[in-house]
Amino acid sequence: MSDNLTWVEVGPASAIPQQGARTLQTETDRIAIFRTLDDQVFALLDRCPHKQGPLAQGIVHGHFVTCPLHNMVFSLETGEAQGPDDGCAAKVECQVVNGVVRVGLTELQAGLRHAG
């Protein structure tokens, strides 16, 4: 799938606080970009599938984030809900190259339109 993505530089990984998040607004979505205590960077759509809670405002612990609305826990690696909860927060492709975070956007997210 990453072959069809437009890679956008977001900024330095160091600008995202450890155990915190920043958001990126695209043409169609808001993306939450998380940095863990071990300096790994992950990205999910910034909405909980249960009540649309802003995951970027959640608590980051290990490689998980807890939704601020109702404590549903999601894996930052897969977006899958943990424990007895069902659901999945959509994962967004993300990478760090030379200390700079890059996010892979779909054509719609990037605002690319095909003519004709």
Side-chain angles (χ1 to χ4, degrees):
M1 178 177 157
S2 60
D3 291 339
N4 297 323
L5 298 177
T6 299
W7 289 93
V8 175
E9 289 189 0
V10 177
S14 60
I16 304 169
Q18 286 184 319
Q19 295 184 292
R22 293 290 185 254
T23 60
L24 170 68
Q25 183 65 51
T26 72
E27 288 288 321
T28 58
D29 299 299
R30 189 171 60 236
I31 297 171
I33 305 165
F34 303 92
R35 182 174 165 212
T36 62
L37 196 56
D38 62 354
D39 288 324
Q40 301 242 5
V41 176
F42 300 96
L44 301 172
L45 288 187
D46 189 28
R47 64 177 175 266
C48 170
H50 179 233
K51 292 195 176 185
Q52 309 306 307
L55 293 177
Q57 295 176 26
I59 296 171
V60 177
H61 47 100
H63 287 191
F64 302 94
V65 62
T66 299
C67 177
L69 294 186
H70 62 289
N71 296 326
M72 198 168 178
V73 177
F74 297 92
S75 166
L76 293 174
E77 296 173 357
T78 66
E80 291 288 330
Q82 303 299 294
D85 293 318
D86 289 324
C88 185
K91 182 178 187 273
V92 176
E93 294 296 321
C94 179
Q95 56 187 219
V96 179
V97 178
N98 296 323
V100 176
V101 177
R102 294 172 20 131
V103 175
L105 303 180
T106 65
E107 289 181 351
L108 286 176
Q109 289 170 328
L112 303 176
R113 306 280 191 266
H114 291 290

Coordinates of all heavy atoms in Angstrom, one line a residue, residues 9-63:
E9 N 6.7 15.6 4.8 CA 7.5 15.8 6.0 C 6.7 16.7 6.9 O 6.2 17.7 6.6 CB 8.8 16.6 5.6 CG 9.8 15.7 4.9 CD 11.2 16.3 4.7 OE1 11.4 17.5 5.1 OE2 12.0 15.6 4.1
V10 N 6.7 16.2 8.2 CA 5.9 16.9 9.2 C 6.8 17.8 10.1 O 6.4 18.9 10.5 CB 5.2 15.9 10.1 CG1 4.4 16.5 11.2 CG2 4.3 15.0 9.3
G11 N 8.0 17.4 10.4 CA 8.9 18.2 11.2 C 9.8 17.2 12.0 O 9.7 16.0 11.9
P12 N 10.6 17.8 12.8 CA 11.5 16.9 13.6 C 10.8 16.1 14.6 O 9.9 16.6 15.3 CB 12.5 18.0 14.3 CG 11.8 19.2 14.3 CD 10.8 19.2 13.1
A13 N 11.3 14.9 14.8 CA 10.7 14.0 15.8 C 10.8 14.6 17.2 O 9.9 14.4 18.0 CB 11.3 12.6 15.7
S14 N 11.9 15.3 17.4 CA 12.1 15.9 18.7 C 11.1 17.0 19.1 O 11.0 17.4 20.3 CB 13.5 16.5 18.8 OG 13.7 17.5 17.8
A15 N 10.3 17.5 18.1 CA 9.3 18.5 18.4 C 8.0 17.8 19.0 O 7.1 18.5 19.5 CB 8.9 19.2 17.1
I16 N 7.9 16.5 18.9 CA 6.8 15.8 19.5 C 7.3 15.3 20.9 O 8.3 14.7 21.0 CB 6.4 14.5 18.7 CG1 6.1 14.9 17.3 CG2 5.3 13.8 19.4 CD1 6.0 13.7 16.3
P17 N 6.6 15.7 22.0 CA 7.1 15.3 23.3 C 7.0 13.8 23.5 O 6.1 13.2 23.0 CB 6.1 16.0 24.3 CG 4.9 16.4 23.4 CD 5.4 16.5 22.0
Q18 N 8.0 13.3 24.2 CA 7.9 11.9 24.6 C 6.7 11.6 25.3 O 6.3 12.4 26.2 CB 9.1 11.4 25.4 CG 10.4 11.4 24.6 CD 11.6 10.8 25.4 OE1 11.7 11.2 26.6 NE2 12.4 10.0 24.9
Q19 N 6.0 10.5 25.0 CA 4.7 10.1 25.6 C 3.6 11.2 25.3 O 2.7 11.4 26.1 CB 4.8 9.9 27.1 CG 5.7 8.7 27.4 CD 5.7 8.4 28.9 OE1 6.2 9.1 29.7 NE2 5.1 7.2 29.3
G20 N 3.8 11.8 24.1 CA 2.8 12.8 23.7 C 2.5 12.7 22.2 O 2.9 11.7 21.6
A21 N 1.8 13.7 21.7 CA 1.4 13.6 20.3 C 1.2 15.0 19.8 O 1.1 16.0 20.5 CB 0.0 12.9 20.2
R22 N 1.3 15.1 18.5 CA 1.0 16.3 17.7 C 0.0 15.9 16.6 O -0.1 14.7 16.3 CB 2.2 16.9 17.1 CG 3.2 17.5 18.1 CD 2.6 18.7 18.7 NE 3.6 19.4 19.6 CZ 3.5 19.4 20.9 NH1 2.6 18.7 21.5 NH2 4.4 20.0 21.7
T23 N -0.7 16.8 16.0 CA -1.7 16.5 15.0 C -1.3 17.2 13.6 O -0.6 18.2 13.6 CB -3.1 16.9 15.3 OG1 -3.2 18.3 15.5 CG2 -3.6 16.1 16.5
L24 N -1.7 16.5 12.6 CA -1.5 17.0 11.2 C -2.9 17.0 10.6 O -3.6 16.0 10.5 CB -0.6 16.1 10.4 CG -0.5 16.4 8.9 CD1 0.2 17.7 8.7 CD2 0.3 15.3 8.3
Q25 N -3.4 18.1 10.1 CA -4.7 18.2 9.4 C -4.4 18.0 7.9 O -3.6 18.7 7.3 CB -5.3 19.6 9.6 CG -6.7 19.7 9.0 CD -7.7 18.7 9.6 OE1 -7.9 18.6 10.8 NE2 -8.4 18.0 8.7
T26 N -5.1 17.1 7.3 CA -5.0 16.8 5.9 C -6.3 17.3 5.2 O -7.2 17.9 5.9 CB -4.8 15.3 5.6 OG1 -6.1 14.6 5.8 CG2 -3.7 14.7 6.4
E27 N -6.4 17.1 3.9 CA -7.6 17.5 3.2 C -8.9 16.8 3.8 O -10.0 17.4 3.8 CB -7.5 17.2 1.7 CG -6.6 18.1 1.0 CD -7.1 19.5 0.8 OE1 -8.3 19.7 0.6 OE2 -6.3 20.5 0.9
T28 N -8.7 15.6 4.3 CA -9.9 14.8 4.7 C -9.9 14.3 6.1 O -10.9 13.9 6.6 CB -10.0 13.5 3.8 OG1 -8.8 12.8 3.9 CG2 -10.2 13.9 2.3
D29 N -8.7 14.3 6.8 CA -8.6 13.7 8.1 C -7.6 14.5 9.0 O -6.8 15.3 8.5 CB -8.0 12.3 8.0 CG -8.8 11.4 7.2 OD1 -10.0 11.1 7.6 OD2 -8.4 10.9 6.2
R30 N -7.7 14.3 10.3 CA -6.7 14.8 11.2 C -6.0 13.5 11.7 O -6.5 12.5 12.1 CB -7.3 15.5 12.4 CG -6.3 16.2 13.2 CD -6.8 17.1 14.3 NE -7.7 16.4 15.2 CZ -8.9 16.7 15.5 NH1 -9.5 17.7 14.9 NH2 -9.7 16.0 16.3
I31 N -4.6 13.6 11.6 CA -3.8 12.5 12.0 C -3.1 12.8 13.3 O -2.5 13.9 13.4 CB -2.8 12.2 10.8 CG1 -3.5 11.8 9.6 CG2 -1.7 11.2 11.2 CD1 -2.6 11.8 8.3
A32 N -3.1 11.9 14.2 CA -2.3 12.0 15.4 C -1.0 11.3 15.3 O -0.9 10.2 14.8 CB -3.1 11.4 16.6
I33 N 0.1 12.0 15.6 CA 1.4 11.5 15.5 C 2.0 11.4 16.9 O 2.1 12.4 17.6 CB 2.3 12.4 14.6 CG1 1.7 12.6 13.2 CG2 3.7 11.8 14.4 CD1 2.2 13.7 12.4
F34 N 2.3 10.2 17.3 CA 2.7 9.9 18.7 C 4.2 9.6 18.8 O 4.8 9.0 17.8 CB 2.0 8.7 19.2 CG 0.5 8.8 19.2 CD1 -0.2 8.4 18.1 CD2 -0.2 9.4 20.2 CE1 -1.6 8.5 18.0 CE2 -1.6 9.5 20.2 CZ -2.3 9.1 19.1
R35 N 4.8 10.0 19.9 CA 6.2 9.7 20.2 C 6.2 9.0 21.5 O 5.7 9.5 22.5 CB 7.1 10.9 20.2 CG 8.6 10.6 20.4 CD 9.4 11.9 20.3 NE 10.7 11.7 20.8 CZ 11.4 12.7 21.4 NH1 10.9 13.9 21.5 NH2 12.6 12.5 21.9
T36 N 6.8 7.8 21.5 CA 6.9 7.0 22.8 C 8.1 7.3 23.6 O 9.0 8.0 23.1 CB 6.8 5.5 22.4 OG1 8.0 5.2 21.7 CG2 5.6 5.1 21.7
L37 N 8.2 6.8 24.8 CA 9.3 7.0 25.7 C 10.6 6.5 25.1 O 11.7 7.0 25.3 CB 9.0 6.4 27.0 CG 9.9 6.8 28.2 CD1 9.9 8.3 28.4 CD2 9.5 6.1 29.5
D38 N 10.5 5.4 24.3 CA 11.7 4.9 23.6 C 11.9 5.5 22.3 O 12.7 5.0 21.4 CB 11.6 3.3 23.6 CG 10.5 2.8 22.7 OD1 9.6 3.6 22.3 OD2 10.4 1.6 22.5
D39 N 11.3 6.7 22.0 CA 11.5 7.5 20.8 C 11.0 6.9 19.5 O 11.5 7.2 18.4 CB 13.0 7.9 20.7 CG 13.4 9.0 21.7 OD1 12.5 9.8 22.0 OD2 14.5 9.0 22.2
Q40 N 10.1 5.9 19.6 CA 9.5 5.4 18.4 C 8.3 6.4 18.0 O 7.7 7.0 18.9 CB 8.9 4.0 18.7 CG 10.0 3.1 19.1 CD 10.1 1.9 18.1 OE1 9.5 1.9 17.0 NE2 11.0 1.0 18.5
V41 N 8.1 6.5 16.7 CA 7.0 7.4 16.3 C 6.0 6.6 15.5 O 6.3 5.8 14.7 CB 7.6 8.5 15.4 CG1 6.5 9.4 14.8 CG2 8.6 9.3 16.2
F42 N 4.7 6.8 15.8 CA 3.6 6.1 15.2 C 2.5 7.2 14.8 O 2.5 8.3 15.4 CB 3.0 5.1 16.2 CG 3.9 4.1 16.7 CD1 4.6 4.2 17.9 CD2 4.1 2.9 15.9 CE1 5.4 3.3 18.4 CE2 5.0 2.0 16.4 CZ 5.7 2.1 17.6
A43 N 1.6 6.8 13.9 CA 0.5 7.7 13.5 C -0.8 6.9 13.3 O -0.8 5.8 12.8 CB 0.9 8.4 12.2
L44 N -1.8 7.5 13.8 CA -3.2 6.9 13.7 C -4.1 8.1 13.3 O -3.8 9.3 13.6 CB -3.7 6.4 15.0 CG -2.9 5.3 15.7 CD1 -3.5 5.0 17.1 CD2 -2.9 4.0 14.9
L45 N -5.3 7.8 12.7 CA -6.3 8.8 12.5 C -6.6 9.3 13.9 O -6.8 8.5 14.9 CB -7.5 8.3 11.8 CG -7.3 8.1 10.3 CD1 -8.7 7.7 9.7 CD2 -6.7 9.2 9.6
D46 N -6.9 10.6 14.1 CA -7.1 11.2 15.4 C -8.5 11.1 15.8 O -9.2 12.1 16.2 CB -6.6 12.6 15.4 CG -6.6 13.2 16.8 OD1 -6.5 12.5 17.8 OD2 -6.8 14.5 16.9
R47 N -9.1 9.8 15.8 CA -10.4 9.7 16.3 C -10.6 8.2 16.7 O -10.3 7.3 16.0 CB -11.5 10.1 15.3 CG -11.5 9.3 14.0 CD -12.7 9.8 13.1 NE -12.6 9.1 11.8 CZ -12.0 9.6 10.8 NH1 -11.4 10.7 10.8 NH2 -12.0 8.9 9.6
C48 N -11.1 8.1 17.9 CA -11.5 6.8 18.4 C -12.7 6.2 17.7 O -13.6 7.0 17.4 CB -11.8 6.9 19.9 SG -12.5 5.4 20.7
P49 N -12.7 5.0 17.3 CA -13.8 4.4 16.5 C -15.1 4.3 17.4 O -16.2 4.2 16.8 CB -13.3 3.1 16.0 CG -12.3 2.7 17.0 CD -11.6 4.0 17.5
H50 N -15.0 4.4 18.7 CA -16.1 4.2 19.6 C -16.9 5.5 19.7 O -18.1 5.5 19.4 CB -15.7 3.7 20.9 CG -16.8 3.5 21.9 ND1 -16.7 4.1 23.2 CD2 -17.9 2.8 21.8 CE1 -17.8 3.8 23.8 NE2 -18.6 3.0 23.0
K51 N -16.3 6.5 20.1 CA -17.0 7.8 20.3 C -16.3 9.0 19.7 O -16.6 10.1 20.0 CB -17.2 8.1 21.8 CG -18.1 7.1 22.5 CD -18.6 7.6 23.9 CE -19.6 6.6 24.5 NZ -20.1 7.1 25.7
Q52 N -15.5 8.7 18.7 CA -14.8 9.7 17.9 C -13.9 10.6 18.8 O -13.6 11.8 18.4 CB -15.8 10.6 17.1 CG -16.8 9.8 16.3 CD -16.1 8.8 15.4 OE1 -15.2 9.2 14.6 NE2 -16.5 7.6 15.4
G53 N -13.4 10.1 19.9 CA -12.6 10.9 20.8 C -11.2 11.2 20.2 O -10.7 10.5 19.3
P54 N -10.7 12.4 20.5 CA -9.4 12.8 20.0 C -8.2 12.1 20.6 O -7.8 12.4 21.7 CB -9.3 14.3 20.3 CG -10.1 14.4 21.6 CD -11.2 13.4 21.5
L55 N -7.7 11.1 19.9 CA -6.7 10.2 20.4 C -5.4 11.0 20.8 O -4.6 10.6 21.7 CB -6.4 9.0 19.5 CG -7.5 8.0 19.3 CD1 -7.1 7.0 18.3 CD2 -7.8 7.4 20.7
A56 N -5.1 12.1 20.0 CA -3.9 12.9 20.3 C -3.9 13.5 21.7 O -2.9 13.8 22.3 CB -3.8 14.0 19.3
Q57 N -5.1 13.6 22.3 CA -5.3 14.1 23.7 C -5.3 13.0 24.7 O -5.4 13.2 25.9 CB -6.6 14.9 23.8 CG -6.5 16.2 22.9 CD -7.9 16.9 23.0 OE1 -8.6 16.8 24.0 NE2 -8.1 17.7 22.0
G58 N -5.1 11.7 24.3 CA -5.0 10.6 25.2 C -3.7 10.4 25.9 O -2.8 11.2 25.6
I59 N -3.6 9.4 26.7 CA -2.4 9.1 27.5 C -1.6 8.1 26.7 O -2.1 7.0 26.4 CB -2.8 8.7 28.9 CG1 -3.5 9.8 29.6 CG2 -1.5 8.2 29.6 CD1 -4.1 9.4 31.0
V60 N -0.4 8.4 26.4 CA 0.5 7.5 25.7 C 1.3 6.7 26.8 O 1.9 7.3 27.7 CB 1.5 8.2 24.8 CG1 2.5 7.2 24.2 CG2 0.8 9.0 23.7
H61 N 1.3 5.4 26.7 CA 2.0 4.5 27.7 C 2.5 3.3 26.9 O 1.7 2.6 26.3 CB 1.1 4.1 28.9 CG -0.3 3.6 28.4 ND1 -0.6 2.3 28.3 CD2 -1.4 4.3 28.0 CE1 -1.8 2.1 27.9 NE2 -2.4 3.4 27.7
G62 N 3.8 3.1 27.0 CA 4.4 2.1 26.2 C 4.1 2.4 24.7 O 4.4 3.5 24.2
H63 N 3.6 1.3 24.0 CA 3.3 1.5 22.6 C 1.8 1.5 22.4 O 1.2 1.0 21.5 CB 3.9 0.5 21.7 CG 5.4 0.7 21.5 ND1 6.1 -0.1 20.6 CD2 6.3 1.5 22.1 CE1 7.4 0.3 20.7 NE2 7.5 1.3 21.6

